Amino acid sequence: MTPQFLQACISGDLLSATQALGTTVPPSLLRINDILELRLRQLNNDPDFQPWLLRAICLRETNTMIGFIGFHTRPDPQYLHQWLRDAVEFGFEIFSAFRRQGYAREAALALMAWAHTINGVNRFVLTITPQNQPSQALAAKLGFKRIGSHMDVIDGLEDVLAVEYAVVTKK
């Protein structure tokens, strides 16, 4: 997701967002401005950070955006040191009409493979609220294990889950 795309979404300009991304963008994306604004600030501060940030998840058949995925930082950020060194955290969202069809799993595997192959990352972290059973189940299927918890200012209590890439490739 380019800065132009993020700015169009933040501005509520769905047509420009669709043109910038080259795919159909759902109106529901315009309701997550806090995430989009944070990622745009990060990109404005460091344009080289773009490969680590948000990526659209799109259906090939219909060229429609169905969600997004991305890393929160570059690998080995200070805030993860209390749980795991040399790791990177990522998150994802699949829009409700497309959930439970394997898209999150496919996108997570592709994102981790990119980070491992291109950047040598071997450790990955997810933070998920205990009540989010579908995401907890997906994390478990990918081999993630709980290594701690923390209090997120927006989401409240979250489990901190981690996996080694070698475990993921065996799944």
Side-chain angles (χ1 to χ4, degrees):
M1 296 183 182
T2 64
Q4 297 83 359
F5 171 78
L6 294 172
Q7 187 58 59
C9 289
I10 293 165
S11 300
D13 186 350
L14 199 57
L15 179 60
S16 293
T18 296
Q19 290 171 339
L21 191 59
T23 188
T24 304
V25 178
S28 59
L29 186 63
L30 305 180
R31 291 192 287 270
I32 60 163
N33 276 0
D34 54 337
I35 294 169
L36 301 177
E37 289 171 352
L38 170 65
R39 299 307 181 220
L40 182 59
R41 280 193 307 276
Q42 288 175 302
L43 275 174
N44 287 337
N45 290 336
D46 181 5
D48 293 334
F49 193 35
Q50 186 164 0
W52 292 97
L53 289 180
L54 291 176
R55 297 163 184 235
I57 301 171
C58 300
L59 290 180
R60 291 179 191 98
E61 302 83 24
T62 61
N63 199 31
T64 302
M65 183 178 176
I66 63 164
F68 56 90
I69 191 166
F71 296 104
H72 297 287
T73 63
R74 294 179 195 270
D76 200 33
Q78 182 68 35
Y79 78 93
L80 288 181
H81 288 182
Q82 65 183 309
W83 296 292
L84 192 63
R85 295 295 309 256
D86 301 319
V88 65
E89 180 182 2
F90 72 96
F92 54 87
E93 179 166 341
I94 302 296
F95 303 138
S96 60
F98 301 97
R99 291 182 182 154
R100 298 198 169 180
Q101 298 179 50
Y103 300 125
R105 182 178 191 281
E106 180 181 353
L109 288 170
L111 191 73
M112 288 186 288
W114 173 84
H116 176 75
T117 303
I118 303 299
N119 296 285
V121 177
N122 290 308
R123 295 176 170 174
F124 298 91
V125 171
L126 292 170
T127 55
I128 304 171
T129 63
Q131 297 79 19
N132 186 341
Q133 290 304 310
S135 290
Q136 289 277 358
L138 172 60
K141 285 179 189 172
L142 293 171
F144 281 82
K145 303 286 185 203
R146 186 180 182 279
I147 59 170
S149 64
H150 80 109
M151 190 61 69
D152 184 82
V153 294
I154 296 171
D155 297 324
L157 181 67
E158 291 182 324
D159 290 334
V160 179
L161 308 158
V163 70
E164 297 278 337
Y165 188 71
V167 171
V168 173
T169 59
K170 293 179 184 176
K171 293 286 175 183

